[in-house]
Amino acid sequence: MARRDRSTSTPLPPLPPRLPTALRPAAGDDLREDLDWVGVEVQGDLSGLVAGGLDVAESRLSGVLLTGARLQGMRLTDTLVEDADLSGADLAGALLTRVELRRCRLTGVLLPDARLRDVRIVDSKLDGASFRMATAERLRIEGSILRAADFTAARLDTTQLFDCDLAEIDLSGARARGLRLHGSVLEGLRGAEHLQGVVLDTTQVLPFALRLFAALRITVDDDRDGPAP
């Protein structure tokens, strides 16, 4: 039976990575010249790696350092990433399918024009991350920090940002059909006027309404006569 994904129904969770039962150990310099990582467990320091078009499939990245890496057009499929550091990494145009990231540092990571399908991010730090014009389908981010993250003009179909710090994030021009923000901090959120179809919990109504009023220049004032001329 086909999976149903409608904003009016309870959204389905992302599909988990399909990992093989055994993985081949791989680390450090052995991977710097290889653009195909398949069925491997990657560890070590790969900071500053330049590998446009890198293809990672059916693998686990455990504690790997990829700070400042240039990985434009990277393809990540059926992959688990744990305790990794991708701060400042450039993943513009990346394609992520059935990927899970846990306890990762992604401060300032660049994912503009990326496509994310069945992606789950848990207990991670994504402050200042860029998802400009990214396309997400069944993206779930839980218990993570996304302060000042940029989702300008992103397409966020059936996306869930649960129990996250979303202070100062920018959702201007985003398509938010089925976007759910339960339990998340919304102070300073920008682009509230673009979030048609967003789903909130009751504790978020007031802070979201205040951001929406500000964006639409709506003033709440009990003085019927207004200020004196």
Side-chain angles (χ1 to χ4, degrees):
M1 181 180 296
R3 288 167 60 89
R4 292 190 304 167
D5 231 352
R6 300 175 181 173
S7 60
T8 55
S9 61
T10 302
L12 294 170
L15 292 170
R18 302 168 183 168
L19 292 175
T21 55
L23 297 172
R24 175 173 53 87
D29 294 337
D30 296 338
L31 297 165
R32 286 189 176 271
E33 303 300 325
D34 190 354
L35 293 182
D36 293 300
W37 303 355
V38 181
V40 295
E41 177 154 7
V42 179
Q43 296 180 330
D45 188 348
L46 293 166
S47 299
L49 175 67
V50 179
L54 177 66
D55 195 349
V56 182
E58 298 181 348
S59 295
R60 178 185 290 113
L61 278 61
S62 181
V64 67
L65 300 180
L66 283 162
T67 52
R70 294 169 56 189
L71 306 171
Q72 299 93 333
M74 180 183 192
R75 293 179 298 278
L76 217 62
T77 308
D78 289 318
T79 296
L80 175 62
V81 185
E82 297 178 303
D83 305 300
D85 191 340
L86 288 91
S87 299
D90 186 352
L91 280 68
L95 174 61
L96 280 66
T97 306
R98 293 184 303 278
V99 173
E100 187 165 328
L101 298 99
R102 291 185 167 275
R103 302 176 303 278
C104 292
R105 186 178 180 90
L106 299 128
T107 297
V109 70
L110 301 177
L111 282 159
D113 296 305
R115 290 174 290 166
L116 302 93
R117 185 172 185 178
D118 291 307
V119 173
R120 186 181 183 202
I121 304 174
V122 182
D123 297 333
S124 296
K125 191 169 184 180
L126 299 102
D127 49 312
S130 174
F131 293 86
R132 292 177 66 91
M133 300 182 70
T135 300
E137 183 179 354
R138 291 188 298 277
L139 167 65
R140 178 182 289 186
I141 306 180
E142 305 170 63
S144 297
I145 298 172
L146 291 101
R147 295 182 69 91
D150 187 356
F151 288 88
T152 301
R155 180 171 174 171
L156 303 173
D157 291 343
T158 56
T159 291
Q160 302 162 322
L161 306 178
F162 290 161
D163 303 311
C164 292
D165 183 350
L166 305 181
E168 305 296 334
I169 72 165
D170 194 345
L171 288 156
S172 300
R175 173 177 169 175
R177 182 171 62 89
L179 174 63
R180 292 172 177 255
L181 303 176
H182 295 69
S184 292
V185 175
L186 304 181
E187 277 72 12
L189 180 147
R190 289 173 285 172
E193 69 276 22
H194 299 283
L195 300 185
Q196 183 176 356
V198 69
V199 182
L200 309 173
D201 65 41
T202 55
T203 67
Q204 297 169 310
V205 172
L206 181 56
F208 185 83
L210 293 175
R211 298 308 303 173
L212 182 59
F213 289 173
L216 299 178
R217 298 183 180 178
I218 295 173
T219 301
V220 178
D221 187 350
D222 290 332
D223 184 353
R224 297 191 183 193
D225 294 327

